[in-house]
Amino acid sequence: MVLEYCENGNLRNLYLNNFDDNIKLYRLSEIANGLLSIHNAEKVHKDFHSGNILLGLAMFISDLGMCQPANNKEKSDKKEGVYGVLPYMAPEVLRGHQYTKAADIYSFGIIMNEFLSEEIPFNDIPHDHILAVKICKGLRPKISEDIPKFLVDLIMKCWDAKTENRPSAKELYQILKKWDKEDEKLSSEIRTQMDKYNRKIREKTLKNRSNDNKSESIKTHPQAVYTSRFLSFKNLPEPVNSSDLSSFQVNSDDIPSVSANINLNEINQEDDSNLND
């Protein structure tokens, strides 16, 4: 099998190597479109994380070795263990429940926050049973205060503890595609907020230029594992959303919430044939 060589590596390489990237909305919409293609084929990825998103002439979702039919029925409601990278795994999956499209959406939320915050999720703590318990109790990676509120809202919808509250891949793609188009308009509020975000990220990037790349200054806990492995946790609590929103603070002058900007019912009525244009 011959595949295109992705000279820019994976998504994590992109921000760790101090790459000045001001088209993040476009890149996120591309990733959402790739995930949509998987879900439209009635498949689920099951191992969706930033290391599996590759950058060549376009963006590609790779490592489909665990990809399975979305309606695949397990022999029982719960499994003894699962494969994956703990920080990106939905709490219901950690508890052994069947992997669904909504679990891929949870992973997208973690990836989206990582890409915009330019921080590796849970890199400073062990990826063990304690972290799995905390994730089920609502712990999520810290959201950078530099990220505009309209994006923060979407991230939090993606990693909601209740699967029914997460958007579909179709909704994600349409929302991000719409925002990317708004970002192209000089007078749009989204353009204003994204320009502000890009300036702050650029300032941080310039500070890191003294190193060859950002990865050299990051200290990762020896028990933080970012390759897929077998995980089996017992007696995890029922997933809930955290009542502690201190890490989700955003400026009050940011754009209103997702629901105020995007009518998801209207999105669902759009022609599916236009989604992969």
Side-chain angles (χ1 to χ4, degrees):
M1 182 180 293
V2 179
L3 302 175
E4 178 182 324
Y5 176 65
C6 296
E7 61 180 9
N8 293 313
N10 60 39
L11 192 68
R12 185 172 297 156
N13 296 142
L14 186 67
Y15 70 81
L16 286 183
N17 292 327
N18 293 328
F19 187 82
D20 191 5
D21 187 10
N22 60 0
I23 55 169
K24 287 189 174 181
L25 283 179
Y26 171 72
R27 295 194 190 279
L28 287 169
S29 69
E30 276 196 304
I31 298 169
N33 195 25
L35 184 60
L36 175 61
S37 296
I38 294 173
H39 287 185
N40 278 347
E42 292 305 318
K43 305 286 186 182
V44 287
H45 190 285
K46 298 187 69 175
D47 192 23
F48 198 34
H49 57 82
S50 60
N52 285 339
I53 300 171
L54 306 181
L55 288 88
L57 297 177
M59 302 192 72
F60 303 94
I61 297 176
S62 67
D63 201 358
L64 300 174
M66 292 198 294
C67 188
Q68 290 184 352
N71 60 355
N72 186 44
K73 299 297 182 182
E74 304 290 346
K75 292 181 179 180
S76 62
D77 291 337
K78 286 192 175 184
K79 297 173 289 183
E80 292 301 318
V82 289
Y83 282 89
V85 180
L86 180 54
Y88 301 86
M89 298 174 70
E92 70 273 11
V93 173
L94 294 175
R95 296 185 77 237
H97 288 284
Q98 181 177 344
Y99 204 105
T100 64
K101 293 178 180 179
D104 278 343
I105 298 300
Y106 177 95
S107 301
F108 183 93
I110 302 294
I111 293 167
M112 181 176 174
N113 179 60
E114 175 182 359
F115 187 40
L116 293 170
S117 297
E118 298 196 349
E119 298 290 342
I120 302 173
F122 301 132
N123 71 299
D124 56 347
I125 57 176
H127 294 177
D128 55 11
H129 183 269
I130 294 175
L131 176 57
V133 170
K134 289 181 177 180
I135 288 172
C136 289
K137 289 184 176 181
L139 179 67
R140 302 291 185 266
K142 182 177 176 61
I143 298 177
S144 171
E145 62 182 9
D146 298 331
I147 301 176
K149 185 178 184 298
F150 71 102
L151 290 169
V152 172
D153 288 341
L154 185 58
I155 290 168
M156 294 178 67
K157 284 178 181 290
C158 288
W159 67 30
D160 196 291
K162 294 183 179 180
T163 58
E164 63 270 21
N165 291 342
R166 299 171 197 164
S168 67
K170 174 183 176 181
E171 291 168 342
L172 275 178
Y173 173 57
Q174 292 285 42
I175 289 169
L176 290 165
K177 183 179 179 182
K178 178 180 176 66
W179 286 342
D180 181 47
K181 288 183 177 179
E182 286 294 312
D183 190 30
E184 295 174 358
K185 301 176 182 178
L186 292 175
S187 60
S188 74
E189 183 63 22
I190 284 179
R191 175 65 176 268
T192 299
Q193 291 297 321
M194 289 306 296
D195 282 348
K196 180 179 178 182
Y197 160 80
N198 286 326
R199 283 196 301 272
K200 291 181 177 179
I201 292 297
R202 193 172 295 112
E203 289 172 2
K204 291 182 178 179
T205 298
L206 291 174
K207 290 181 180 179
N208 290 326
R209 284 276 165 83
S210 57
N211 297 323
D212 289 336
N213 56 60
K214 186 177 179 180
S215 60
E216 295 183 357
S217 62
I218 295 176
K219 295 181 179 180
T220 302
H221 194 281
Q223 295 179 46
V225 182
Y226 292 96
T227 54
S228 298
R229 56 181 174 144
F230 180 76
L231 300 169
S232 182
F233 301 116
K234 306 293 184 182
N235 303 316
L236 293 181
E238 190 75 23
V240 295
N241 289 317
S242 175
S243 58
D244 179 14
L245 300 180
S246 60
S247 63
F248 303 147
Q249 293 178 353
V250 292
N251 296 328
S252 60
D253 60 347
D254 280 338
I255 297 174
S257 68
V258 170
S259 59
N261 281 282
I262 302 293
N263 187 326
L264 297 184
N265 290 328
E266 289 180 1
I267 289 173
N268 284 325
Q269 294 171 3
E270 293 192 18
D271 187 355
D272 286 341
S273 63
N274 293 326
L275 291 177
N276 293 307
D277 288 348

